[in-house]
């Protein structure tokens, strides 16, 4: 199989291309992330929240808040924690508005990520982070489909588990729309600037 | 006596010079890990010597992790816009002569598997890198929030 290594430059070019699209889709905002047209609606999606004893968590932001959601897995040493650390840095620059950003992580590897492990993982980055997981593959698929996210868990010949997954952070508004999504490698400055703009528009 | 010291100093300097054309490893760090997190990653900058070399092995003490492997994260081919990323183990990492090879987020990294205990901010541990030509080099890994 031919694979390409992430070249930051190529990614930057790709993002620059997406920025143009983003600027067109929402006239009053200059978002660095990717804006889809039409905006995907995910407000009716819900998954059990292990950080809240397994109660259903709807993927929609509270009034005046933005919910940032990520599909990942805890045995991911590189891409997932890098993304979470970038998001944490971005949120930290928002001052008082930081409390208006809620974060949730959906495990694409629920067989290995039990609720406790997933909660510890997300809450090591965000103390109020939500850990979403289900043992029902159909429910996970359905949720991922709504976001346009993909994942693949395969076992290699030597018994290793390989996980591939969409590495976007999705920013959801109180109406349940994904307003913007950030690919891996987006800088925390760009994420912060997008969050600020989205929050400003809500008030 | 003075002369002896002088000679010793010259020897040290020569030894120092002999290193100049060799592989050098800097800025070695690992991100902090959550409790119960199994895997960790180590990043670094490798400066190539006068001749190309390859990083062919990595290991850490069992007090850090059960295993260390070289891995690479990448975007899946044909899915640039889908943003689908995957990671796989690599046998070696080429270190080009007189150039920097970076192990950094989203690319090559040393994956630590089955961490013995969480990596906490400010901690340090030793990682042994095996190069095809330069042999073993021990480096100190600094744990940071990143």
């Amino acid at each position: 199989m031919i694979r390409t290594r992430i070249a930051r430059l190529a990614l930057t070019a790709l993002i620059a291309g997406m920025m143009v699209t983003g600027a067109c889709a929402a006239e009053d905002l200059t978002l660095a992330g990717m804006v889809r047209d039409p905006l995907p609606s995910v407000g009716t999606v819900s998954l059990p929240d292990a950080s809240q004893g397994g109660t259903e968590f709807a993927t929609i932001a509270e009034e005046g808040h933005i919910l940032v959601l990520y599909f990942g897995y805890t045995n991911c040493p590189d891409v997932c924690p890098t993304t979470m650390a970038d998001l944490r840095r971005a949120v930290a620059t928002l001052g008082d508005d930081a409390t208006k950003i809620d974060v949730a992580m959906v495990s694409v590897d629920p067989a290995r990520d039990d609720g406790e492990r997933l909660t510890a993982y997300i809450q090591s980055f965000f103390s109020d982070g939500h850990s979403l997981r289900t043992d029902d593959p159909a429910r996970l698929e359905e949720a991922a489909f709504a976001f346009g996210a993909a994942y693949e868990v395969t076992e290699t010949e030597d018994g290793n588990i390989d996980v591939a997954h969409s590495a976007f952070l999705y920013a959801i508004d109180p109406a349940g729309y994904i307003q913007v999504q950030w690919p891996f490698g987006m800088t925390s400055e760009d994420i912060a600037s997008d969050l600020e703009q989205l929050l400003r528009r809500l008030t | 006596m003075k002369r002896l010291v002088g000679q010793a100093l010259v020897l040290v300097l020569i030894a120092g010079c002999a290193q100049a054309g060799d592989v050098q490893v800097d800025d070695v760090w690992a991100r902090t890990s959550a409790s119960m997190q199994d895997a960790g990653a180590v990043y670094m900058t490798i400066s190539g010597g006068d001749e190309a070399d390859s990083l062919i092995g990595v290991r850490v003490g069992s007090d850090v992790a059960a295993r260390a492997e070289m891995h690479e994260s990448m975007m899946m081919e044909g899915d640039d816009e889908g943003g689908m990323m995957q990671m796989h183990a690599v046998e070696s990492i080429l270190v080009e002569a007189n150039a920097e090879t970076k192990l950094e987020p989203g690319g090559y990294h040393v994956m630590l598997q089955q961490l013995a205990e969480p990596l906490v901010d400010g901690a340090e541990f030793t990682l042994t890198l095996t190069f095809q030509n330069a042999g073993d080099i021990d480096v100190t890994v600094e744990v940071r929030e990143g």
Side-chain angles (χ1 to χ4, degrees):
Chain A
M1 192 188 298
I2 307 165
R3 291 157 159 165
T4 43
R5 175 164 178 232
I6 283 214
R8 288 223 169 212
L9 271 177
L11 192 66
T12 309
L14 179 76
I15 292 162
M18 287 169 178
M19 277 172 68
V20 176
T21 327
C24 296
E27 304 88 54
D28 53 336
L29 301 181
T30 43
L31 298 172
M34 192 179 154
V35 178
R36 284 152 69 187
D37 184 18
L39 298 179
S41 172
V42 294
T44 56
V45 176
S46 79
L47 284 171
D49 182 353
S51 72
Q52 303 290 327
T55 53
E56 286 294 311
F57 179 88
T59 60
I60 183 167
E62 287 172 33
E63 231 23 74
H65 285 219
I66 293 291
L67 171 66
V68 180
L69 184 138
Y70 186 73
F71 287 85
Y73 64 110
T74 72
N75 206 39
C76 169
D78 181 38
V79 170
C80 306
T82 298
T83 304
M84 285 299 151
D86 287 345
L87 178 63
R88 175 174 58 193
R89 246 195 320 275
V91 172
T93 64
L94 298 179
D96 290 347
D97 281 348
T99 56
K100 295 178 186 161
I101 308 299
D102 301 308
V103 181
M105 175 162 156
V106 180
S107 174
V108 298
D109 184 18
R112 288 189 297 172
D113 287 342
D114 62 29
E116 198 186 344
R117 185 181 295 262
L118 185 63
T119 303
Y121 187 86
I122 185 65
Q123 294 192 346
S124 74
F125 294 97
F126 300 94
S127 53
D128 297 323
H130 298 271
S131 47
L132 312 185
R133 70 176 293 287
T134 172
D135 289 310
D136 179 353
R139 288 203 65 191
L140 179 57
E141 261 173 53
E142 206 179 311
F145 181 78
F147 280 82
Y151 55 91
E152 205 175 273
V153 181
T154 44
E155 193 170 343
T156 60
E157 282 167 20
D158 52 3
N160 278 327
I161 311 267
D162 275 355
V163 181
H165 62 109
S166 299
F168 287 108
L169 285 165
Y170 303 91
I172 306 154
D173 71 7
Y177 288 103
I178 299 174
Q179 288 289 345
V180 64
Q181 62 192 55
W182 301 292
F184 177 79
M186 184 64 77
T187 66
S188 54
E189 289 82 5
D190 281 342
I191 294 173
S193 158
D194 284 5
L195 285 173
E196 271 171 19
Q197 293 180 61
L198 293 176
L199 284 174
R200 212 180 307 138
R201 194 167 59 171
L202 291 179
T203 51
Chain B
M1 184 61 192
K2 217 175 199 174
R3 198 168 149 192
L4 254 180
V5 172
Q7 278 170 350
L9 187 66
V10 168
L11 278 175
V12 168
L13 285 176
I14 290 169
C17 288
Q19 303 277 320
D22 292 347
V23 162
Q24 205 186 313
V25 185
D26 297 292
D27 195 27
V28 190
W29 69 283
R31 196 186 303 280
T32 51
S33 71
S35 64
M36 301 177 68
Q37 188 179 328
D38 267 339
V42 181
Y43 306 103
M44 67 194 77
T45 300
I46 305 173
S47 304
D50 289 336
E51 283 173 33
D53 204 340
S54 283
L55 177 61
I56 54 170
V58 288
R59 49 183 205 277
V60 288
S62 57
D63 55 332
V64 178
R67 269 187 304 160
E69 290 176 358
M70 288 173 278
H71 279 244
E72 186 183 20
S73 298
M74 62 184 73
M75 197 77 86
M76 270 175 89
E77 174 75 9
D79 188 53
D80 286 356
E81 291 189 26
M84 184 120 162
M85 300 209 49
Q86 61 180 182
M87 183 179 79
H88 71 127
V90 294
E91 296 285 311
S92 66
I93 297 173
L94 177 68
V95 177
E96 289 189 52
N98 301 312
E100 278 189 354
T101 298
K102 282 187 188 286
L103 276 62
E104 60 185 353
Y108 287 122
H109 54 274
V110 173
M111 180 169 176
L112 304 176
Q113 287 181 319
Q114 293 169 45
L115 290 171
E117 50 188 51
L119 300 172
V120 295
D121 194 27
E124 288 183 346
F125 60 89
T126 302
L127 171 70
T128 303
L129 305 173
T130 305
F131 291 91
Q132 192 147 35
N133 301 327
D136 282 2
I137 298 181
D138 281 349
V139 293
T140 301
V141 183
E142 190 193 312
V143 181
R144 304 183 205 151
E145 286 226 312

